[in-house]
Amino acid sequence: MGEFILKRLFLSIFILFFVMFIVYALMYSLPTSYVESMARELATKPGSTKSAAEWLVELNAQYGFDRGIVGGYLQWIKTALAGDFGDSWNWSVPVVEEFNKTIWYSFILSFIAFILEMAIAIPAGIIAARKQYSLTDYTVTVFSLIGISLPTFFTATILKLIFSVKLGWFDIGGMQSRNYITLSNFGKFLDLASHYVLPALTLTLVSIGSLMRFTRTNMLEVLNSDYIRTARAKGLSESRVINHHAFRNTLIPLITILGGSLPGLFSGSLITETLFSFRGIGYASYYSMITGDIPFTMFYLMFVSILTLLGNLISDILYAVVDPRVRVH
Amino acid sequence: MNNKNLNEILKHREALEQKAKEEQNNSTNGPIALDDTQRVKVLSPGRLVAKRFFKNKLAIIGLAILVFMFLFSFIGPLFYPYSQTDIFYKYDYLTIDYASAAERTDAIAYALNSSADISSKIKNSLNSYINSMEKDGKAEVSLTDDDGSQYSIQKLGEKVYALFADQLTEVAKISPSVSIAKYNKFSKQFSWSSGTTVDEGLQKAIESAISSKASDFEYNGVSYLIKSESKNIYNIIRNTPEIEWSGENLGNEFISLAMKHQDETKFAFNGADYRVKVNGDSSISVSAIGGKTMVYVLSNLVFNIYDKAENISDDFKANALLAIYNSEKFSYNGKTYSVLKKGRKYEIYDESNTEIASLGNFVIKRYSGQDTLSFDFKEKAQQTIYEMLEKNQTSSKFLYSLPQMDLQGNYVLDKDGNTAYTDTEITVSKKNNQYVLTCEQVTYLIDIFGKPSSKHIFGTDGDGMDILARMMYGGRISLIVGFIVVFLEVIIGVILGGISGYFGGWADTLIMRIVDIFYCIPSLPILIIMGAFFDAIKMNPYERLAWLMVILGILGWAGVARLVRGQILSLREQEFMIAQEATGIKASRRIFRHLMPNIMPQLIVNATMGLGSVIILESTLSFLGLGVKHPLATWGTMINSVASSSENMIKYAYIWIPVGLLICLTVIAFNFVGDGLRDAFDPKMKQ
């Protein structure tokens, strides 16, 4: 087991190296005029103490644009390994500072959506599988397919129309109401919480479908397996067959998948956060990307890649941990 | 007993069988024997899949939606009269701001025929003096300029004022010491200052003075100074003031008095007052102060000059203004004119008693600021405003004939080919201190956000383009993008996955590592970055669309490759593959004839589901403004263009909700069909 994890870890580092190289090459290939305009823009920003030419030299040196792709990339790795990701161009603070500021908002948002998703999708999927071809099953199947088919932006716009514009229950975006400052501490908490509702709902709606389908398919597979037939044949009650024999086995792929998606909770949600002006990591990185903020973008892409690799690693390990048969083979 | 031969017996049997068959065909519920071949219907695998597929209700719904989408977006535009880039215009009555009227509060100065020059400081402050006069109720105010000039403003009557200035007569001009020449001793050349008359005697006197190194000399009773400027260059300065008398010579005492008082500007000599003024060239003018004369006539009244009247000069205007409170008659250039008061305004008539101008209180101009309105229009507008003031109204109307336009926005011509005029209702409304004159005119404008009508079923968008046409073309782009991207993914994925799975070894390892890398690349951020990059270099929309498809394809093939490899690995272990190897079939035939058909089902299901997600990705990017760009229509941009603010979200819900539903329906349809295909290909999941 230890050897397996170690091997996978090395493989992940290898993959990360090349993924970041591709991302770096892409960033490098953006025409220099882009960096130049960036330098000009930075020089005119309030609080900037450097001229455009100085910025250009600094940017080129900082990102090794004067050393070619490979040399620049190796330099980026060197500074990144030392924990130095530079200053964000768009947010005018060190990259790590902006990251610390936003990451927890994103995590809480994703976590709420994750819990909601599990609480709704897993029971619905199991019920649908138990009553295959019933009305319930069709309803769940159709709903999950609709959920998969809903574009995030359309869902978000519809929710905004209903809950913000028509009903006026929540703000259309942002993190605070206008009267935030005047509120008591508890009021501030409630106000912040109310700004989580629509983004969390959007995230849940667009991701619930696939989990529902996944649960249903796996439960069906389990219900069709021989040991369930055996359990039924020996006269166990249906509830015991489902809850004891079938459900536990359905959990194997579920835990693998859900465990693998745990790191993803930190990666923020680009589209949803942007649409609701939710000041999480997704929002920050979206604006960094469209303004060509190379330091923050590089950092964010590295972060996301690490999370993806970590997710794969976790699901592989969990697969082995949860299902003893895998370990035997 | 049986005398029939074998042949007959067979014929009889055949006939019986035929009969049985016909019976069976007639009644499907007929009894079937256990060993009847009809019991087992053997279908080809393809038909089997099709049969299972068509049994699935959801798949049928999905298929129906897809057929509709294809007809809608590929066939629809052929029959629909508008294209995605047609901009529609309309002719509409639009209330335009035609003219504006404002009461003139500042008096304008009209110069009388006099040459008195008045400093700009006084000129510019005349209005403030008049205002303070009005405030204090004074009839006259006197002012002094920096140079000691005395002025006074007199109120001649309501809104007419006159500026009086001292009449000055210059008596003497004194030029004190001034450099008259420069002399170069080396080249013996003079360079005379301008305005100096060259005098040979003086020239000689200078030369001798310089050669004797004297610092001053006298010539003709005038004393000169010699100053050495640099080596060999001398400056000759006349030291005695030069005096030009305009009239009689008042003597040296007068001059010394004037020089003494040049800072006080004024002095008295022999009981008369004189003014001293230092000119720009340091010469001094001395003038005698006489009586006061009128230099300007000032008035708030506005001249409205009859269109055909000759150009009227300032002098004329000044005389006319004076006549108001004088004799009501004045003569100018030998002609006599009369000024008559009519209500609140004054009218000016010439000798033949035709009106040439009127005087009112309001400045009336086109709203754009040009003074191109006709005399009649101005008179009528002014009349209306006076009535409004009397009745204390804030808005009123009057009729005036303006050039007529038809609904196509062209000027209407009458039968003689002249522009036809129509009585147009002009509304005058008071806004603060201004009056705005508005009227309705037919205007040619882009039909922005046109309401749904029989011409445009979903109305028009913010660029005046037909929404339904753009929905169709948007669907076309979404579907084309979906198909091309999935095609690219499948091509790359099948080739690389196939090589990896079939050959194994180092090729497998290499390709799978590449797949791992591409699996890990965060594709949405990359797409956003590329979108921002395309924006930055302002790529043209068609090129951009092609690039978008290529990038989507490159980012998406890894999943297909993994799937193909996995399938091949599991198929390789099966007996039929071993049998192929044993029979020695060519590798290419083995791959394309035997391996591929077994991978196809999974691939088709995967591609169908993939189409849906590519369409979502494309529309999301377009919604963010980073995907397909204007003028190409896409569903994403159509939604973004109307759903960006909460106000528009409600107002244009009839646009963005149908478009959003089109996206959802298309993606749902692909998912339904993909799901149905999966179930049809793999009946294991069905009980």
Side-chain angles (χ1 to χ4, degrees), chain B residues 295-362:
Chain B
V295 269
Y296 281 122
V297 179
L298 302 149
S299 178
N300 298 354
L301 293 172
V302 181
F303 276 88
N304 183 15
I305 295 153
Y306 197 66
D307 300 338
K308 282 164 192 137
E310 63 230 74
N311 227 352
I312 290 174
S313 67
D314 269 12
D315 200 17
F316 179 93
K317 289 179 184 171
N319 278 310
L321 286 167
L322 286 175
I324 293 177
Y325 296 106
N326 203 349
S327 56
E328 298 191 337
K329 277 199 165 41
F330 67 99
S331 56
Y332 182 77
N333 275 357
K335 288 179 186 166
T336 315
Y337 299 89
S338 54
V339 185
L340 298 172
K341 186 173 167 118
K342 289 263 173 80
R344 284 185 186 232
K345 62 176 186 174
Y346 299 91
E347 288 171 356
I348 302 173
Y349 294 92
D350 66 0
E351 282 167 324
S352 57
N353 225 10
T354 45
E355 190 181 359
I356 53 166
S358 82
L359 283 163
N361 295 330
F362 289 91

Side-chain angles (χ1 to χ4, degrees), chain A residues 31 133 145 149 154 165 213, chain B residues 533 650 660 668 671-672 675 686:
Chain A
Y133 301 130
L145 280 175
S149 313
F154 187 60
V165 181
R213 274 173 68 80
Chain B
F533 166 59
I650 294 184
I668 288 172
N671 281 330
F672 278 175
D675 214 39
K686 298 240 173 190

